[in-house]
Amino acid sequence: MKKSEIHFSIALDDQHVPEAISWTATDAGKDIHFAKAINISLWDRNDSGTMKIDLWTKDMPVDEMKYFTIDTIGAMAQSIETATSDKMMAEKMRSLCQELIQHVEEQQKRNAQSPL
């Protein structure tokens, strides 16, 4: 059986806010990769529930965080369709992503029109 490992390293400031997120993986080569945010969800087999870790660096802009969330939902839509063949559930998730993109873009337009 092949074993693959993923390691995350989180650098925190004095207030324990993430300043840097890096990761390595045995299947991703020897390079250290950097991220502004991570969202990890695990299904706990003993508790039959989801355990989550959401972290983002303090230099991640709010709009990027919103797009990250939308992209995550979109990836989950593909995962649920691939794993279960539930096309309706996947399509509803993709539809939500489109609504959220429209919402973010409208907010950006309003913010761009607002006088400083």
Side-chain angles (χ1 to χ4, degrees):
M1 171 170 55
K2 182 181 176 189
K3 182 178 178 181
S4 184
E5 295 183 4
I6 302 170
H7 297 273
F8 292 97
S9 180
I10 314 299
L12 304 172
D13 67 11
D14 293 339
Q15 286 76 42
H16 304 287
V17 175
E19 286 189 322
I21 300 169
S22 62
W23 64 275
T24 59
T26 53
D27 290 345
K30 295 187 184 278
D31 292 342
I32 297 173
H33 304 271
F34 294 91
K36 287 185 181 180
I38 60 173
N39 176 323
I40 302 169
S41 298
L42 306 165
W43 184 259
D44 186 279
R45 97 167 52 177
N46 295 327
D47 292 338
S48 293
T50 302
M51 310 213 27
K52 288 185 53 40
I53 300 171
D54 293 309
L55 295 173
W56 54 92
T57 58
K58 55 186 168 184
D59 69 333
M60 183 161 190
V62 171
D63 284 348
E64 283 185 22
M65 189 56 155
K66 291 177 182 182
Y67 282 117
F68 174 61
T69 301
I70 295 166
D71 287 348
T72 301
I73 295 168
M76 290 169 59
Q78 184 60 49
S79 294
I80 197 68
E81 185 173 1
T82 301
T84 68
S85 299
D86 190 333
K87 293 183 185 308
M88 181 200 275
M89 187 171 179
E91 190 50 45
K92 287 182 180 274
M93 293 170 76
R94 290 185 186 108
S95 178
L96 174 62
C97 289
Q98 290 301 313
E99 289 179 43
L100 293 172
I101 288 170
Q102 184 177 357
H103 167 72
V104 171
E105 289 174 352
E106 287 171 1
Q107 276 188 325
Q108 289 172 335
K109 284 179 188 176
R110 282 194 303 273
N111 291 341
Q113 294 172 351
S114 296
L116 298 176

